[in-house]
Amino acid sequence: YSKGELRDMDAVFWNNFGWIKENLKDYKGALNEYNIGIKKDPTDSLIYANRANVKFELGDEEGACSDYKKSSKLGEKFLTKFFEFENI
């Protein structure tokens, strides 16, 4: 892709690209892609959840917790159930 084409990609593209990098254990690269995805759509709860996973892998537990909470507030059903379970 050219730089212009990449600029036009939506949040789903960046989430998927981040997921690929995350699975290749390129956590810093994945973090970068998730950050771009969040800039494209700051209401996408899944990208926050994925970025939280990467932050946790990088040792940023506080940042991960913040992103998990943001994802939950935005409506990621799995995380909402997770936090309900944790608070029992």
Side-chain angles (χ1 to χ4, degrees), residues 2-67:
S2 71
K3 285 185 179 183
E5 290 173 317
L6 287 175
R7 259 193 313 271
D8 293 337
M9 296 298 185
D10 65 5
V12 173
F13 171 86
W14 293 106
N15 182 59
N16 292 340
F17 199 27
W19 185 85
I20 290 167
K21 288 187 175 184
E22 181 179 349
N23 281 280
L24 293 171
K25 301 196 184 317
D26 176 7
Y27 299 120
K28 289 182 181 179
L31 181 63
N32 182 59
E33 309 315 341
Y34 292 141
N35 286 339
I36 294 170
I38 288 170
K39 285 181 186 175
K40 294 282 185 174
D41 184 359
T43 66
D44 189 319
S45 63
L46 182 58
I47 301 175
Y48 280 98
N50 289 339
R51 187 174 75 173
N53 294 335
V54 167
K55 286 181 175 182
F56 183 81
E57 290 294 335
L58 291 170
D60 180 6
E61 293 177 8
E62 187 175 318
C65 186
S66 176
D67 277 356

